[in-house]
Amino acid sequence: MKKWLEVMVLLMVFSMLAGGCVMQQGKEKLEDLEFTVTKQQDLPAALQEQIEKKKEENFSLTYSDNEYLYLARGYGIQETGGYSISVDDCYRTENAICVKTTLHGPQVGEDVAKSPSYPYLVIKLELRSEPVIFQ
């Protein structure tokens, strides 16, 4: 009986850890946030510099100016081109902004650049003060 109780406790802990942003903050999704995927040429120069320094490794960073909050997610060096990133969710809880992205590899048979690539994505939101959790 004691072993069964230990297994149940471990399962509960695991499910809470795997629950993502909602469980981490202990709050439910309050609203989806509107955002724009931003092109490199439209990024503030200081943000471009930060991305350039971090692009070879996985990274998540935030940057704000007087108008907008920028959320950047990079997936480090990839062996070829042909990668893309999707924004699966971007929402607000009571205590945080949560962003979930996914890296997609090249399609089978797709003609891709043979040189390394550094896929990243930057989304722009209205200026907000909540902490950001990347999933």
Side-chain angles (χ1 to χ4, degrees):
M1 183 72 156
K2 186 176 179 181
K3 187 72 164 172
W4 181 82
L5 183 58
E6 289 175 5
V7 169
M8 291 303 294
V9 169
L10 286 174
L11 285 173
M12 287 176 53
V13 169
F14 176 75
S15 65
M16 289 180 1
L17 292 173
C21 187
V22 173
M23 293 305 289
Q24 289 174 10
Q25 293 300 311
K27 303 296 177 188
E28 293 184 15
K29 180 179 185 177
L30 296 178
E31 68 175 319
D32 289 321
L33 296 176
E34 291 186 28
F35 63 88
T36 303
V37 175
T38 307
K39 296 178 182 179
Q40 181 180 2
Q41 64 264 22
D42 297 331
L43 298 176
L47 177 56
Q48 286 182 18
E49 289 174 19
Q50 288 182 30
I51 291 170
E52 186 63 29
K53 290 177 186 174
K54 296 178 180 277
K55 73 178 184 181
E56 292 191 15
E57 305 294 328
N58 284 335
F59 69 85
S60 302
L61 63 91
T62 62
Y63 176 87
S64 60
D65 57 19
N66 292 330
E67 293 183 74
Y68 299 105
L69 174 64
Y70 296 87
L71 309 178
R73 176 70 175 101
Y75 286 87
I77 189 170
Q78 304 298 318
E79 292 182 15
T80 66
Y83 287 84
S84 63
I85 302 169
S86 63
V87 179
D88 303 323
D89 218 349
C90 182
Y91 61 93
R92 180 179 68 84
T93 68
E94 186 176 318
N95 300 320
I97 295 170
C98 298
V99 179
K100 182 175 183 189
T101 61
T102 302
L103 176 67
H104 303 279
Q107 299 289 327
V108 174
E110 181 180 357
D111 187 27
V112 297
K114 302 299 183 210
S115 58
S117 63
Y118 308 89
Y120 69 88
L121 174 86
V122 179
I123 62 175
K124 180 171 76 171
L125 306 153
E126 67 180 37
L127 188 59
R128 306 189 66 94
S129 61
E130 297 95 341
V132 177
I133 297 173
F134 291 88
Q135 300 177 327

